[in-house]
Amino acid sequence: MTFSGFPPSALRLYEDLAADNSKEAWRLRHRERYERDVRAPMEELAAELGTEFAESAGPGGVQVLGPVRDTRMSHDKSPYKTYQGAYLDLLPCLGVWVHVDREGLYASGRWYPYAGAEVARYRAAVEEEDGGTELAAITGRLVEQGFVLGGDRLRSRPRGVPADHPRLDLLRHRKIDAGRRFGPADGLHTARAAELVRETWRLVRPLLDWAAARKLTPRPRERGVDEPS
């Protein structure tokens, strides 16, 4: 089927799930709505995006996540996710993302390394004048285009970095998520939602290309490398 948007009931589902995230409520009240109003539209959207971004896609195309949370390492044991996500990785730990939740639609590009060695290589690239200046220009343009630059970052500054460093904000990042959020007034409930995601993914591509060119994605694990502080 052709993607035609997420119905209003998709957002209401996540409002209801926030109020009662139990297995019983999921079985009796949430699951049927989830499959019809959330999962099915997301799979249609993923198929449409996968066709357009096929040159970047791996063999599986755009991947749609399941609704069950992995609670093994979390203090929060609520069983179900409060969003429906899908992603396309261009390289390991580097790609694009989209999710729908109670507030609307969120689309982004993200770099999400697992190891301290990758963060160290990122900081070295930001410290380097040409690479750091280029990244500052890329992220500055994204902010002007309505993106929010998020992701895991230090509250203080990295060890050894002066307080007046011109790219201190970028050096604080241990992960980067550059994204935009859209609500019902933006066309969430119509086929226009697909174009909003397409546009976001196109606009964020220079950031992903910057990271890819500097080999900031995982290599074989290096022993004895500590997590940067």
Side-chain angles (χ1 to χ4, degrees):
M1 296 180 64
T2 303
F3 175 73
S4 58
F6 291 95
S9 56
L11 277 61
R12 289 198 297 270
L13 167 68
Y14 286 112
E15 292 177 356
D16 294 343
L17 194 59
D20 189 346
N21 196 327
S22 67
K23 292 183 178 180
E24 182 179 14
W26 178 264
R27 179 175 58 85
L28 295 177
R29 297 193 297 276
H30 301 329
R31 182 169 184 171
E32 184 177 351
R33 263 199 303 164
Y34 165 78
E35 295 290 349
R36 181 189 67 234
D37 299 335
V38 176
R39 180 82 186 194
M42 183 60 83
E43 289 181 342
E44 292 163 2
L45 176 60
E48 191 169 318
L49 295 169
T51 299
E52 178 164 349
F53 293 89
E55 78 285 354
S56 304
V62 178
Q63 301 293 305
V64 177
L65 299 176
V68 179
R69 293 182 66 246
D70 183 352
T71 61
R72 289 172 296 180
M73 303 296 290
S74 174
H75 293 297
D76 180 1
K77 300 301 181 182
S78 55
Y80 301 104
K81 296 172 184 173
T82 54
Y83 64 91
Q84 173 61 60
Y87 70 95
L88 172 63
D89 273 353
L90 313 181
L91 290 169
C93 301
L94 182 74
V96 287
W97 168 267
V98 60
H99 77 245
V100 63
D101 59 19
R102 64 190 295 181
E103 297 179 8
L105 191 70
Y106 179 77
S108 71
R110 56 185 190 154
W111 169 70
Y112 56 108
Y114 297 139
E118 294 139 27
V119 181
R121 292 200 298 274
Y122 162 78
R123 288 187 181 150
V126 178
E127 287 269 24
E128 190 266 325
E129 187 62 30
D130 289 344
T133 300
E134 182 182 354
L135 179 60
I138 290 170
T139 55
R141 285 195 298 271
L142 289 173
V143 171
E144 290 174 358
Q145 292 163 337
F147 283 74
V148 173
L149 195 66
D152 180 36
R153 47 184 284 166
L154 296 173
R155 292 185 179 180
S156 59
R157 61 182 186 271
R159 191 177 300 126
V161 175
D164 60 350
H165 194 289
R167 295 182 292 279
L168 178 58
D169 283 347
L170 290 172
L171 287 167
R172 286 191 174 114
H173 281 273
R174 292 185 289 204
K175 298 179 182 179
I176 295 178
D177 184 279
R180 302 193 295 179
R181 182 167 279 283
F182 306 100
D186 298 308
L188 173 63
H189 304 320
T190 72
R192 173 170 162 69
E195 181 54 38
L196 297 173
V197 180
R198 285 192 198 96
E199 181 186 55
T200 299
W201 286 8
R202 293 186 198 118
L203 289 172
V204 82
R205 187 60 187 259
L207 172 62
L208 306 180
D209 289 344
W210 182 92
R214 287 157 180 82
K215 298 180 171 57
L216 302 183
T217 54
R219 300 174 182 175
R221 186 169 294 278
E222 302 169 43
R223 296 185 178 180
V225 177
D226 297 327
E227 185 75 15
S229 61

